[in-house]
Amino acid sequence: MNAPIHDTLKKPTIRLLLVDDDQFDRMACKRALSQNHDCEFVLFEAETANQGLKLARTEQIDCVLLDYHLPDLSGVEFLSELADNTGELPMPVVMLTGSDNAMVAVDALKLGARDYVVKGSADGDALQWLPAVVLRALREQQAIQEKLEAVEQLREAEAKYRSLVEQIPAITYIASLDEPGQLLYVSPQIEQLGFPPEFWLADSEGFLKRVHNEDRQNVIEAYSVTYEQHTPLRCEYRLLKYNGQVRWFLNEANVVRDESRGALYLQGLLVDITQEKESEQELYYYRRRLEELVAQRTEQLEKQSAILESANARMDSELCERKKAEA
C-alpha cells in the first residue's frame, strides 16, 4: 500500500485491480468504493483474467477484486497463475461472487483469497461493504507481512547468535527446567570431549553421565538448588573424555526468564579449566614442598642452637671451675 491506512493527515491512496467482464458490475463496484471518504481508491480495470494478470504484474497493485466467472480463466485458475513459487499471493484478493456461489468463495479462500463479497444480491446492498472488506484485507495482509518480517529477523538474529556462540572457545548450552540435566542445545565445541552434540542431547542426564564419580554428588546437589530456587549455577567438576582422559570444567549458568511466561530455561557456559587446575595443583605441591624444607631447616637450626647452648654452658662451667682452682 502506498500510504498507511491510519494516516489522518492525508488520505491514503489504495490501488485496486478490478477483474470483471461485466460492465454493470464494475460500475456498481466503483459506486460502492466512491462512498468511502477515508481513502482514495485508484482503480485499474480488466475484462479478462489475462489482462488482470498482466496489470497485477506490471502495476503496483495493493488489492485485487476478482470475479469468478471470466471469459478466459476461472477465478480459481487466476489465483493459481497469480501465486508465486511458494503458492503465496503477492497481494490480497477479494472475490466477487454471486449469491448462489458460496462454494466458489470457499474454494477461492482455500487458494489464498482474503475475503469475498456477494454482488448482485436480492437487496442490492451487499456491495456497500466492499470498501470495509478491502480495508480489512489490507490490514490483515500488513499484519501477515509484519509477522513474516519478524520471523525473518528472528532467524537472522538466531543465525548471528549461533555463529558468535560457535566461535568462542567455551561450550555454550541450554538446558530444560522441567527435567534436571536435560539439554536442549549444546554448541559444537563439546566435540573436544570426543562425542558429537547428539550424544549429549539424546540422554536426559546431559553432562551428568560423564561427570567423574568423585564429583557427581556435588554436581547433583548444585543442580538441585538451581532447579528448585532458580538461582545461578556455579560449580567445578571433572568430565571424562571418550578416551577416559579427565578434564576440569567450570560450569556457570543462569535461568532465563520472560515477563509473561516466567522461567524458560537454563543457559550456561562450560569453560575448560584443566590447565588452571594443574597449575593450582603444582603450586600446591611446591608450597607443601617449601613448607617441608622450611620445617626441616628450622629443625636443623633448633638442633644446632641447642648444641651451641650446651657447649656454651660447658665452657661457662669450666671457666668457673678454673677460677675457683686458681683462687
Side-chain angles (χ1 to χ4, degrees):
M1 211 161 27
N2 295 336
I5 296 175
H6 58 272
D7 191 351
T8 58
L9 300 177
K10 182 180 179 181
K11 282 186 179 181
T13 299
I14 299 175
R15 298 163 67 89
L16 295 179
L17 171 60
L18 176 57
V19 186
D20 195 329
D21 62 335
D22 191 309
Q23 181 179 1
F24 295 103
D25 286 342
R26 294 202 304 272
M27 292 177 60
C29 288
K30 285 190 281 188
R31 281 197 302 271
L33 292 170
S34 65
Q35 301 302 313
N36 184 280
H37 303 292
D38 296 328
C39 303
E40 181 180 350
F41 292 103
V42 177
L43 202 61
F44 296 82
E45 298 182 45
E47 295 183 0
T48 66
N50 287 317
Q51 290 176 359
L53 289 170
K54 183 178 180 180
L55 287 171
R57 290 164 180 159
T58 57
E59 302 292 339
Q60 295 181 348
I61 301 299
D62 295 320
C63 182
V64 177
L65 303 178
L66 177 64
D67 183 27
Y68 181 80
H69 297 290
L70 297 170
D72 47 354
L73 297 174
S74 69
V76 172
E77 292 171 334
F78 180 95
L79 292 174
S80 299
E81 289 289 329
L82 183 62
D84 57 22
N85 295 331
T86 64
E88 298 293 329
L89 297 175
M91 72 280 292
V93 175
V94 175
M95 296 299 298
L96 302 175
T97 67
S99 57
D100 56 345
N101 288 339
M103 293 306 298
V104 169
V106 171
D107 292 339
L109 293 175
K110 290 179 180 178
L111 286 175
R114 191 71 60 203
D115 208 335
Y116 72 94
V117 174
V118 178
K119 63 176 182 176
S121 59
D123 55 11
D125 293 333
L127 282 176
Q128 67 176 323
W129 304 109
L130 183 59
V133 171
V134 169
L135 294 177
R136 183 171 67 243
L138 289 171
R139 283 194 294 269
E140 290 177 358
Q141 182 73 9
Q142 185 175 2
I144 292 173
Q145 186 63 34
E146 290 174 353
K147 183 178 179 179
L148 292 175
E149 291 175 358
V151 170
E152 185 61 28
Q153 291 175 359
L154 182 61
R155 288 176 180 170
E156 291 178 1
E158 182 179 355
K160 291 179 181 178
Y161 172 76
R162 283 181 177 269
S163 176
L164 176 64
V165 160
E166 293 172 4
Q167 290 178 10
I168 63 177
I171 300 168
T172 57
Y173 69 90
I174 296 175
S176 170
L177 288 177
D178 298 327
E179 188 172 356
Q182 175 69 61
L183 293 172
L184 303 176
Y185 167 79
V186 62
S187 63
Q189 291 90 327
I190 193 66
E191 293 181 1
Q192 63 183 273
L193 292 174
F195 300 97
E198 294 77 18
F199 170 81
W200 307 93
L201 298 174
D203 198 307
S204 61
E205 283 197 330
F207 299 130
L208 292 175
K209 60 185 175 183
R210 299 298 295 179
V211 172
H212 195 284
N213 287 334
E214 295 178 3
D215 302 330
R216 186 177 178 85
Q217 187 58 38
N218 291 335
V219 175
I220 291 176
E221 291 176 0
Y223 267 77
S224 297
V225 172
T226 296
Y227 275 78
E228 291 173 4
Q229 304 177 12
H230 289 175
T231 55
L233 172 69
R234 179 182 171 86
C235 56
E236 297 178 2
Y237 52 86
R238 288 163 287 183
L239 286 174
L240 300 176
K241 295 180 64 174
Y242 178 79
N243 58 7
Q245 183 183 359
V246 173
R247 303 294 295 181
W248 275 96
F249 284 90
L250 169 64
N251 189 348
E252 288 188 317
N254 288 285
V255 175
V256 177
R257 294 176 172 84
D258 180 79
E259 291 183 0
S260 59
R261 294 180 290 170
L264 301 178
Y265 49 80
L266 186 69
Q267 186 176 49
L269 287 173
L270 274 180
V271 182
D272 191 326
I273 58 171
T274 304
Q275 186 173 355
E276 289 80 355
K277 280 292 183 179
E278 291 174 349
S279 299
E280 183 181 319
Q281 290 175 356
E282 263 186 57
L283 184 61
Y284 176 76
Y285 168 77
Y286 287 121
R287 186 183 297 116
R288 289 293 303 273
R289 181 61 180 158
L290 181 60
E291 290 174 355
E292 290 175 359
L293 292 175
V294 169
Q296 291 175 4
R297 185 59 177 165
T298 301
E299 184 179 354
Q300 291 175 356
L301 290 174
E302 288 176 349
K303 289 180 179 179
Q304 292 176 355
S305 178
I307 292 172
L308 288 174
E309 288 179 0
S310 176
N312 288 334
R314 285 199 304 271
M315 289 178 63
D316 289 342
S317 177
E318 289 175 358
L319 287 174
C320 290
E321 291 296 332
R322 183 177 299 177
K323 287 180 180 180
K324 288 179 180 180
E326 288 177 354

